[in-house]
Amino acid sequence: FFISVRVPYFIDLKRPQDQGLNHTCNYYLQPEEDVTIGVWHTVPAALWKNARGKDQLWFEDALGSSHPVILYLHGNAGTRGGDHRVELYKVLSSLGYHVVTFDYRGWGDSIGSPSERGMTYDALHVFDWIKARSGDNPVYIWGHSLGTGVATNLVRRLCERETPPDALILESPFTNIREEARSHPFSIYRYFPGFDWFFLDPITTSGIKFANDENLKYISCSLLILHAEDDPVVPFHLGKKLYSIAATSRSFRDYKVQFVPFHTDLGYRHKYIYRSPELPRILREFLGKSEHEHQH
């Protein structure tokens, strides 16, 4: 876990407005004793004017307004205030979504030691917190990179307890952490004999699996996968492979499963898909009703 990579270093996470998020509230939630996580809640564009200067209770109540909610699970490096993440929140907010995001225990200003179980539990806690306030509004889960592992862990649990989200969006996903570690640009040693034994086995034996491929067999909800062909961190072929698994899985037979590739020429790489002028249309067509229709 790259929790020491807190880019940019000088951000005050208590002040999302410093990142241009004037319609965002910073919360702290407590999933477990000794664990506190920092959360940002950005309201949809239609509520920006009202949101100025409002307190946490106003923001919590606003989740019950007739707008869908996206729970965003970020990747490995940095915090909820990372530049590309902030830009995505702005795009999603302008499209009429609430965006709720947080730093897993051990990341950003969240307290606790990171583990796959703990990260998944944090996500479950935030999901339940949203559902307790959002009424009948759709709640979508969006994971990016390592966050796709947290997302499928979470959604598998939600489906097993029969409270699935309204859709799952995986951006730059891998199949499982072993395959991702083997393909990661840092894995220059993978051609040496003993790479699996020396690097990969300790990852798996320490309980880190993030098995997206396995989880998909237990997930029943609409699935959208977004991946750039020139992704240097999570190779495109892993996202494609994950899509093939989902497309043939019985658990998805009654649901929409879609894979959207972004051509190398666009230069979106690992974290710039938010720049796509096509993204609003892709989301509208996949998620159904536009924000305008939700209000009527």
Side-chain angles (χ1 to χ4, degrees):
F1 297 125
F2 296 162
I3 46 178
S4 56
V5 187
R6 300 191 179 172
V7 188
Y9 287 100
F10 43 82
I11 273 189
D12 180 355
L13 290 167
K14 292 184 180 63
R15 294 178 51 84
Q17 60 271 28
D18 293 353
Q19 309 310 305
L21 294 171
N22 295 322
H23 33 280
T24 297
C25 189
N26 180 61
Y27 307 134
Y28 291 97
L29 300 178
Q30 197 169 8
E32 293 182 288
E33 208 182 345
D34 304 329
V35 176
T36 306
I37 55 175
V39 181
W40 280 1
H41 170 200
T42 301
V43 295
L47 303 178
W48 285 0
K49 275 202 180 79
N50 298 345
R52 287 275 163 97
K54 295 294 198 300
D55 64 2
Q56 180 171 336
L57 278 176
W58 182 91
F59 274 83
E60 289 190 35
D61 287 346
L63 284 168
S65 67
S66 58
H67 297 270
V69 186
I70 290 178
L71 169 57
Y72 177 79
L73 304 168
H74 72 62
N76 199 358
T79 68
R80 63 191 184 277
D83 293 348
H84 62 285
R85 294 167 190 153
V86 168
E87 292 309 315
L88 178 66
Y89 313 153
K90 289 176 183 173
V91 169
L92 296 176
S93 171
S94 73
L95 296 175
Y97 300 101
H98 287 277
V99 184
V100 177
T101 187
F102 67 95
D103 281 312
Y104 316 107
R105 58 187 71 187
W107 268 259
D109 57 355
S110 297
I111 295 161
S113 4
S115 66
E116 181 173 358
R117 185 206 70 82
M119 294 161 78
T120 304
Y121 192 81
D122 294 345
L124 181 66
H125 183 80
V126 177
F127 177 85
D128 286 341
W129 179 87
I130 291 168
K131 287 296 277 187
R133 291 156 179 76
S134 60
D136 296 331
N137 297 325
V139 179
Y140 308 121
I141 289 168
W142 183 315
H144 173 242
S145 193
L146 184 69
T148 65
V150 182
T152 67
N153 279 352
L154 168 63
V155 176
R156 175 176 175 173
R157 287 184 66 168
L158 295 177
C159 289
E160 284 170 348
R161 71 173 203 192
E162 298 181 358
T163 58
D166 292 276
L168 170 62
I169 300 166
L170 301 177
E171 179 191 357
S172 318
F174 49 86
T175 42
N176 58 67
I177 208 72
R178 271 183 95 94
E179 287 196 359
E180 161 53 16
R182 195 178 280 125
S183 318
H184 195 281
F186 292 168
S187 303
I188 46 172
Y189 304 107
R190 63 178 172 274
Y191 303 110
F192 287 69
F195 174 79
D196 280 25
W197 164 77
F198 190 76
F199 283 100
L200 300 183
D201 291 350
I203 291 177
T204 333
T205 49
S206 64
I208 302 171
K209 295 192 175 73
F210 289 117
N212 287 336
D213 46 2
E214 185 61 24
N215 286 340
L216 287 189
K217 298 171 189 167
Y218 300 92
I219 287 175
S220 301
C221 70
S222 299
L223 172 68
L224 173 63
I225 296 178
L226 310 169
H227 214 138
E229 292 175 355
D230 58 338
D231 189 329
V233 178
V234 180
F236 179 75
H237 72 85
L238 292 185
K240 195 99 172 113
K241 183 174 176 183
L242 196 65
Y243 168 70
S244 306
I245 291 167
T248 54
S249 168
R250 288 180 54 194
S251 66
F252 285 102
R253 64 176 171 231
D254 298 327
Y255 296 94
K256 198 163 26 171
V257 176
Q258 190 182 350
F259 182 81
V260 180
F262 294 87
H263 197 273
T264 301
D265 294 350
L266 296 165
Y268 296 154
R269 296 173 65 80
H270 183 57
K271 54 187 188 187
Y272 301 112
I273 286 175
Y274 73 81
R275 292 179 180 165
S276 169
E278 296 296 304
L279 190 59
R281 178 190 59 78
I282 292 163
L283 294 177
R284 195 165 50 243
E285 290 176 3
F286 179 75
L287 297 174
K289 290 180 177 161
S290 69
E291 153 246 355
H292 179 72
E293 289 166 300
H294 267 286
Q295 292 171 330
H296 296 291

